[in-house]
Amino acid sequence: MRYSTMFIPTTRHEPAGVQAISHGLLVRAGYMQQLIAGAYSLLPLAQMVRRKIMDIIRSEMSQIGAQEFFLSALQPIELWDESGRTTAVSDVMFRLKDRKGSDLALGLTHEEVFTSIARTNLTSYKQLPQIWYQMQTKFRDELRPKGGLLRVREFTMKDSYSFDVDEAGLDRSFQLHRDAYKRIFARCGLDAICVDASSGAMGGAGSIEFMIFSDSGEDLIVTCTECEYAANIEKAASKAEIPSATTSTSEFEKFHTPNVRTIKQLEEFGEGFPAHSQIKTLVFVADGRIVLALVQGDQELNESKLQSALGVSLLRQATEVEIIDTLQASPGSLGACGVESGEGFKVATIIADKRLQGRTNMVTGANENDFHVKGVSIERDMKVNKFADLHKVRETDNCVRCASAIKISNALEIGHIFKLGTRYSSTMNAQILHADGSRNPILMGSYGIGVERLMAAIVEQHNDEFGIRWPVSVAPFRVIIVPVNWQNEEIRSASERLYAELISAGIDTLLDDRDERAGVKFNDADLIGIPMRVTVGKKAGQGIFEFKLRSEKSAKELSSEQLLVEVGNLTS
Ligand SMILES: [Zn+2]
C-alpha cells in the first residue's frame, strides 16, 4: 500500500481519560477513534492487525478440530430464562423488544444458544466429541468502560464450546484449548501465564485464565517466588501462621464496650484484644437469603470466594435495615454467638473462614449495640454451617504449595477457559444416549478470547516512548519504505523498484510516498509501529539501502538482494 492513499490519521493529541498505554497509542497512531463510551471505530490499520490476530486464532482452532460457526447476536430472552442466568447478568445485558413486543437480548456470550443447538442435534454418544466456535460481536453494558479497547461495550470474541460424553472427554477438550491458547498467545508475541481462576457467573467446575503482567490490568494475581503457583486473587489460597491464643484465657462473657465499632477500636479497648483474636461478622444476601460470613478480625473477606463456597449466582452486601432486622444490632456490634440458622430462621447460613475452625478465646460482637463477648469458642458458641477459604490473600502470606514468599501483581486477562460440566446441559436439558442405554447431560466447556482486547494487550507489551512496536506476526505491514526525498527522481525510482520487489515476494509493505520531511516520516513509522524500516537516501543510485528494525537503535546498509533475505528471515 501507498501511504498517500491510506487513511492513517495520526495525531499528537493524547485522548482524554487515558488510563492504559494501549489506549493512548492506538488513538495517536491512527488505529481507532472513539464513537461513544465503550465503543470504538477501528480504522484500516487496526482492521489489518485484527485480521492477522483472527487468522492466528483460526489456524490454531482448526488444529484442535474446532469447527467455525457464525451465530446471531440477537438472542431470545427465553433461552436465558431456561439457563437461569437472566437475573445474574441483568446489569450488563443489553435488552430490547422487537415490533411485536418479543423480548430479545444482544448476546453477551453464547452458551445458551450453542446449548440449544446441541440439544436438538446431538442425541447420541456416537456424535461426540464436538468443538464449535465462532468469532462474533458481543455486547456488554459495562458500568465504567475504560482503558480504550480493554473494557468496551461491543467487541469481537472468539468463543468456543466443547461437547463430550464424560469427564475424561471434557478434560481432553479443556487441555486441547489450554494448549491452543498458549500457542495463540505466543504467536501474537505475548508472554502469557496461566492462573487458577474463579468461575463467577459462568458456573461450572473449574477455570483457568491467561494473563499478562500489566499495570493497565484490573486483575490482581498471586504468584509464588519459587514454584509455578499462580492464581487470580479471587481464587488464590495461601498459607499463614494461625496466631496462638492469647495467654490469658477468659470465660465466655458479655462485656460493655461503649462506642467501640471497629476492629481497631476494640484492639485498643480495655485490656486490648488483638485483631487476630477478633471475629469479623459480615452480612450478605445470597440468592435472596441472609448469610453471615465470619473472618478473622485482621483479614479481608473475598466475595468471589464466598460466592463460590455458597454456590449462589447473586451475592450482595446486606443493607443496614436488613442487618438490624436480622440481628437487632448495628454493624460494629455484630456476632454469630447463639444465632440460629436454616429453614424457618432469618439467617439461612453461617459460613466461616477455615482459619477460624477450632479457635477459642475469641472476641466478637454481642448483637447488642455497645456490647461484645469474649472467651468465645467457635465450635461451642456458634452454629457454623460451613468452613471454607474466604479470606483475601495478602502479600505477607506464604505460597499454599511450597510455603515460599508470594507476590501480588496487576495483570490483564487475555483469555479464559471454563469447565462448565453439566451447568447448562442440565438446566437446558441437553442429553445424549450412552452406549449402555442411559441418558445423561452432555459435558460442556466454554473458552473465550476477546480479539480487540488481545490487540490492546499486544500494544501493552510492545511499545516504547516513540510508539507501538508490533511483533511481525500481527503487524499491519512487515516493512515500511521511507524515501527521504520524494521529489528526488533517483530516490523515487529506487523506492518504487524496491516496493515492487517486496510486493512480488509476498511481503506486506507500506511505501511512504508522501511529500513530507524525512523526520516526519520516521516519527510516523515509529508511532504506527512497523517492525522493519528501509530508508532510501543518497546511496539509492548504487543500490544501497538503510535497514533498521523498529526494536533496535542502529541501522545497517544492505543491497536489495540482502534486504529481501533479511526481511524474509525475520519472523518475530
Ligand atoms: Zn510456591
Side-chain angles (χ1 to χ4, degrees), residues 80-123:
W80 290 82
D81 290 341
E82 271 193 63
S83 75
R85 278 211 291 181
T86 313
T87 319
V89 300
S90 63
D91 287 350
V92 288
M93 181 187 257
F94 277 106
R95 291 182 67 160
L96 62 158
K97 282 189 192 296
D98 68 11
R99 63 176 73 207
K100 290 176 182 157
S102 303
D103 275 315
L104 298 170
L106 291 176
L108 56 153
T109 174
H110 278 75
E111 278 77 17
E112 282 77 3
V113 180
F114 271 110
T115 307
S116 78
I117 295 173
R119 73 177 163 193
T120 44
N121 296 280
L122 302 177
T123 52

Side-chain angles (χ1 to χ4, degrees), residues 224-229 399-406:
C224 177
T225 53
E226 292 297 329
C227 78
E228 298 280 291
Y229 182 76
C399 174
V400 67
R401 283 201 198 140
C402 74
S404 303
I406 53 167

